[in-house]
Amino acid sequence: MSHDTFGEPLQHYELVGSTNEVAIKWAREDAPHGAVVTAESQTHGRGRRGRSWSSPAGKGLYLSLVLRPDLAPAHVPQLTILAALAVARTVEQFSGLQADTKWPNDVLLNGRKIAGVLCEAEWKDGRLGFAVVGIGLNVNFRAEDLPERVLFPATSLLIETREHRLISEVKPVLLAQTEQLYSLFTNGGWDELRAEYSRRCASIGQPVTVVNEASEYSGVARGIDESGLLIVQTTDGVRSVIAGDVKF
Ligand code: BT5
């Protein structure tokens, strides 16, 4: 098998704090491109901006992938778009239902959040040293397993399809989808990937409110730009959103 196969090498744990944390430590040492960390459950699964990701055993897929692309800092958000699209395709494959994206890092099924992506990067001499792409996908969560207070209504494959899936059956499909999109990405396929993400993106064409540490503003989401940022048309002009939560 090629050295770049996603999921080789693989570290699998019964219980960790956060698979992203483990993968970052491993990447600082010697984890190669394509290395993956998975866990049955996480005690401190993390979301963006210090939020937490609910990670009970047997209910979800908790996976972190080490990537070492030659990427300028401005283009790192593209990796979140790529991963969200791979998750959407995977969810679609298992549910037979159309999965949507919600910029930047959410995947929705029937309008509810079924998965989230957390991309964390480290730099070396102005270039990307490595990125760890963390994915949490709700597989067998029942309604009562979902966190009580969520930013956005949540769901799972089980809730939407009434079918249990083995996590071990979902994992290889997600890795294969990610690997396939990554190969497209490195072969000049960013525009194609961006177009599919945008087609699926629930907020494009909608009035949105963007909230981040620095500001809050409203406008109409128009699309995804070259770097993977959300283009929002406000009354003051067009803005590209680097980070934030989008309400619509
Ligand atoms: C995310 O953050 O959606 C990124 C989640 C990434 C989790 C994976 S699991 C494997 C890897 N290792 C880690 O430690 N993390 C990654 P954000 O957009 O900030 O959303 C977080 C918010 O989603 C929380 O504040 C809750 O409101 C909600 N939430 C928490 N757990 C959830 C779940 N299982 N399903 C749906 N929503 C959830």
Side-chain angles (χ1 to χ4, degrees), residues 17-21 37 42 44-49 51-56 61-64 105-106 113-118 120 133-138 141 145-147 149-155 245:
S18 149
T19 56
N20 262 36
E21 189 187 320
V37 176
Q42 307 182 103
H44 293 84
R46 53 200 201 208
R48 295 173 306 146
R49 304 166 73 194
R51 293 190 286 245
S52 65
W53 187 256
S54 170
S55 314
L61 174 58
Y62 316 113
L63 180 150
S64 299
N105 69 320
D106 296 345
K113 178 164 173 170
I114 192 164
V117 174
L118 174 67
E120 299 183 88
V133 177
I135 296 170
L137 169 58
N138 298 341
F141 282 73
D145 303 318
L146 293 166
R149 291 179 51 223
V150 283
L151 280 174
F152 198 79
T155 194
D245 293 307

Side-chain angles (χ1 to χ4, degrees), residues 156-218:
S156 73
L157 275 176
L158 175 63
I159 293 169
E160 300 303 328
T161 66
R162 300 178 187 279
E163 282 176 37
H164 274 274
R165 296 285 182 181
L166 293 173
I167 309 293
S168 58
E169 150 192 36
V170 179
K171 181 161 90 179
V173 173
L174 177 62
L175 285 174
Q177 291 286 7
T178 312
E179 190 173 323
Q180 193 187 328
L181 282 175
Y182 187 81
S183 147
L184 176 67
F185 179 67
T186 51
N187 286 295
W190 163 245
D191 282 339
E192 198 180 317
L193 205 149
R194 170 165 64 140
E196 183 181 335
Y197 180 95
S198 305
R199 258 199 318 278
R200 293 176 184 271
C201 189
S203 40
I204 291 178
Q206 303 288 323
V208 294
T209 300
V210 179
V211 184
N212 60 30
E213 278 86 358
S215 59
E216 173 166 341
Y217 52 92
S218 298

Side-chain angles (χ1 to χ4, degrees), residues 30-79:
D30 58 358
H33 176 76
V36 164
V37 176
T38 51
E40 298 288 317
S41 64
Q42 307 182 103
T43 53
H44 293 84
R46 53 200 201 208
R48 295 173 306 146
R49 304 166 73 194
R51 293 190 286 245
S52 65
W53 187 256
S54 170
S55 314
K59 307 285 179 183
L61 174 58
Y62 316 113
L63 180 150
S64 299
L65 167 69
V66 176
L67 295 176
R68 297 186 181 278
D70 183 19
L71 214 56
H75 286 170
V76 171
Q78 294 174 336
L79 298 176

Side-chain angles (χ1 to χ4, degrees), residues 6 26 50 63 72 87 116 215 240:
F6 286 6
W26 190 15
L63 180 150
V87 178
S215 59
S240 287

